[in-house]
Amino acid sequence: MKLLGIEMSRVTALFQATRPKGQFYRPYFAAKVAERYRFGSAPQTIAELERPKIEFRHGLFEDSAIETFEVYNDGIIVTSRSDTDFIDAFIDDLATWLTNDHGLFIIETHTVRQMYDSSLLVETDRNVFQPFESYAEILKLIEKSLKESSGLGVEFQNYGFTLAADQTQISAMKPNLFRLERKEGIEFSRHQLYSTAPLKTKQHLDILDRLEQLMPDQF
């Protein structure tokens, strides 16, 4: 399996921040964050800084871009087209800097306090959808019905699959779907796939690699 690109990585972290020596001045902190991480777009007015979501866009950390950095009353959400380890490093750097230089401390407020989302574009050597060929009868019925109703004669193949947790049974942060599907607009024979998972990038890649290994060599 080959990684073709990271479409999106997101880390959601729940916590509260406190400054024992006194309330921080929002315009000053917003300007300092924008300056440190070179955000191209940052909140500036009091009205923007008092919104439920305060958003910084297109920043720089180390040698990669941060797509968005969103600040809420109960935590933050950071997205990037780099892997989740990069986002973790950014959050650690931000927390250390705010504590050491500005006296802001993090208070943990949730047992499940962090959630990951990873979206990847990969190319596999094998057809990972081969096990679904057991539904060949259903595929043929679809093809036959389509031919009868519209006159279009085409072959249907499995396009993807989705796995999910029962969200009604989860009271904490809810994990997103694990989804694997063919990349739109690409010939099926190329085995280029789009996958999303509520996991760190490395974990996500390990699962996709293992999935490919489970396929017989002839596929």
Side-chain angles (χ1 to χ4, degrees):
M1 185 195 67
K2 178 168 63 175
L3 175 64
L4 299 180
I6 296 175
E7 301 285 293
M8 186 278 294
S9 296
R10 177 186 293 120
V11 178
T12 301
L14 298 180
F15 59 82
Q16 290 185 348
T18 182
R19 192 167 181 259
K21 69 178 183 179
Q23 181 180 357
F24 62 84
Y25 181 54
R26 290 188 179 187
Y28 171 82
F29 276 95
K32 285 298 183 181
V33 169
E35 177 185 4
R36 179 176 177 84
Y37 299 107
R38 300 175 64 180
F39 280 103
S41 173
Q44 297 181 352
T45 67
I46 292 297
E48 290 176 313
L49 291 166
E50 289 181 340
R51 292 173 181 169
K53 179 180 75 173
I54 301 172
E55 185 176 64
F56 299 80
R57 297 184 63 85
H58 205 69
L60 180 67
F61 176 64
E62 296 178 343
D63 62 348
S64 296
I66 301 161
E67 193 77 11
T68 60
F69 169 44
E70 301 170 18
V71 182
Y72 299 84
N73 289 332
D74 59 350
I76 61 175
I77 300 176
V78 185
T79 62
S80 175
R81 293 181 182 176
S82 300
D83 65 29
T84 53
D85 285 347
F86 164 79
I87 298 179
D88 279 340
F90 164 73
I91 293 174
D92 288 344
D93 182 83
L94 175 70
T96 300
W97 171 64
L98 289 175
T99 298
N100 293 343
D101 290 21
H102 302 287
L104 199 69
F105 292 90
I106 302 301
I107 301 175
E108 303 297 347
T109 55
H110 295 71
T111 302
V112 179
R113 61 185 181 83
Q114 199 147 296
M115 190 68 70
Y116 294 86
D117 289 294
S118 172
S119 299
L120 306 175
L121 180 62
V122 300
E123 184 173 287
T124 60
D125 296 323
R126 305 176 185 181
N127 178 13
V128 297
F129 299 127
Q130 183 62 31
F132 294 94
E133 295 305 318
S134 58
Y135 293 106
E137 179 182 347
I138 301 301
L139 297 175
K140 293 302 179 185
L141 284 173
I142 294 171
E143 293 166 8
K144 180 176 181 294
S145 298
L146 182 64
K147 177 71 172 178
E148 292 173 352
S149 62
S150 67
L152 181 62
V154 293
E155 178 185 357
F156 269 69
Q157 299 180 45
N158 186 274
Y159 191 77
F161 68 86
T162 302
L163 305 174
D166 183 350
Q167 306 256 332
T168 65
Q169 305 300 311
I170 305 170
S171 59
M173 281 196 291
K174 302 181 188 300
N176 285 327
L177 305 173
F178 178 93
R179 176 179 289 143
L180 183 65
E181 58 189 30
R182 299 182 191 273
K183 176 66 174 176
E184 186 175 355
I186 302 296
E187 293 181 9
F188 286 9
S189 61
R190 299 289 301 177
H191 300 319
Q192 290 188 10
L193 311 175
Y194 177 76
S195 180
T196 62
L199 304 169
K200 293 185 177 183
T201 306
K202 185 181 183 305
Q203 296 171 325
H204 192 174
L205 286 168
D206 286 345
I207 288 173
L208 293 176
D209 187 58
R210 180 56 183 156
L211 179 63
E212 185 179 20
Q213 290 174 16
L214 292 173
M215 297 302 106
D217 288 338
Q218 65 266 34
F219 301 137

